[in-house]
Amino acid sequence: MLRLLRERPREGLLEIARQLGVARGTLQARLDRLTRSGVVTGYGPDVDVAAVGHVVQAFTTFEVDQPARAAIAVRLRAVPQILEAHVVTGPGDIWCRIAGTSNQHVQEVIDQVLEVLEVPGVRRSTTVIALSPVVPYRVQPLVDEVSGLSEPRG
């Protein structure tokens, strides 16, 4: 069910139910249950940031004092070019994925972030530019494995 919904997001539930050989109400009940449990988190279109002009992606790490993380997270949310940010273990305490229109724009975003982060506790930042995706963001292989639909590895 999830595979069909991801592959054909604009197709109606009635048609997907027909393809799966289940009643539309059954499909809707399953989808509602997956939504309530947090498995399905959205129904909006996926957006390619490169197609809207942000062709450069970079990963920036911030080394911070642990008590400053909450204040830093609030300020990071205010920067639209930050696609995601995670608190991590190991080197770098917060990792951000940034989208920019050019290398120069990425630098400007990082400068803006550093200005935004004028809070005590930010010690250092490091940035790398992404050249090309080897494995783009995906969830379907994991969903297939969890549901038993994937081929066994080995």
Side-chain angles (χ1 to χ4, degrees):
M1 172 181 79
L2 290 177
R3 175 180 287 283
L4 281 176
L5 287 169
R6 287 192 54 78
E7 288 174 354
R8 303 177 193 143
R10 297 184 66 170
E11 201 158 284
L13 289 183
L14 183 60
E15 177 58 24
I16 290 176
R18 188 192 64 71
Q19 291 175 30
L20 293 173
V22 299
R24 185 200 179 287
T26 301
L27 178 67
Q28 184 68 59
R30 289 178 185 168
L31 186 55
D32 290 345
R33 188 176 66 243
L34 290 170
T35 302
R36 276 192 311 276
S37 67
V39 172
V40 173
T41 59
Y43 297 93
D46 294 333
V47 176
D48 182 341
V49 295
V52 295
H54 286 67
V55 296
V56 178
Q57 289 194 32
F59 296 90
T60 297
T61 63
F62 295 100
E63 293 178 17
V64 303
D65 295 331
Q66 299 306 313
R69 284 192 327 217
I72 291 167
V74 168
R75 293 181 181 202
L76 290 173
R77 285 186 200 100
V79 180
Q81 294 84 5
I82 295 180
L83 302 178
E84 60 184 321
H86 300 269
V87 173
V88 298
T89 60
D93 300 304
I94 298 175
W95 285 14
C96 300
R97 184 164 62 119
I98 297 173
T101 58
S102 64
N103 287 354
Q104 179 62 37
H105 183 232
V106 169
Q107 179 62 55
E108 292 166 7
V109 170
I110 293 165
D111 291 345
Q112 175 190 358
V113 167
L114 292 173
E115 288 174 19
V116 167
L117 294 180
E118 285 182 355
V119 293
V122 178
R123 294 189 305 265
R124 174 188 165 106
S125 70
T126 304
T127 300
V128 295
I129 300 291
L131 298 176
S132 63
V134 176
V135 179
Y137 180 79
R138 64 193 184 150
V139 295
Q140 194 60 51
L142 176 64
V143 170
D144 289 349
E145 181 179 71
V146 168
S147 64
L149 297 175
S150 66
E151 295 295 318
R153 288 181 274 161

